[in-house]
Amino acid sequence: MAPECRKKKSEDATFLADLRDHFDEFIHASMDEHKECFKKTMKKLFGMSKAVAEKNSESTGIESVLPLQTSVSK
């Protein structure tokens, strides 16, 4: 298995052929390859979630202001 985890070998492969190939790669990968792929996947996931959080914090930085309504009771 490549250090960048798994990539499709053929774009023309059927779903089952691709799944069979993926399963074969997974079974024959060393523990070090599994660990490296897991680390890269986690970094990618946390990087994406951090980017989304930063984008959301930028877009929600503007607060809406509602006029204060008062009522006088007699």
Side-chain angles (χ1 to χ4, degrees):
M1 196 157 85
E4 63 273 351
C5 296
R6 182 177 190 282
K7 291 193 177 195
K8 253 186 160 179
K9 287 186 178 179
S10 170
E11 292 298 322
D12 299 336
T14 65
F15 175 77
L16 289 178
D18 187 51
L19 184 64
R20 191 176 326 126
D21 183 51
H22 188 183
F23 187 72
D24 188 54
E25 285 182 2
F26 181 82
I27 295 296
H28 293 99
S30 70
M31 185 55 70
D32 288 337
E33 289 172 317
H34 283 296
K35 286 180 184 178
E36 186 65 28
C37 185
F38 182 76
K39 286 178 189 177
K40 287 182 179 191
T41 301
M42 289 299 110
K43 282 182 183 180
K44 186 177 179 181
L45 287 175
F46 285 117
M48 289 184 337
S49 65
K50 183 179 177 183
V52 169
E54 288 174 354
K55 184 177 178 182
N56 286 343
S57 69
E58 290 173 4
S59 65
T60 59
I62 300 172
E63 295 181 21
S64 62
V65 178
L66 300 174
L68 180 61
Q69 295 181 348
T70 58
S71 60
V72 179
S73 60
K74 292 185 182 183

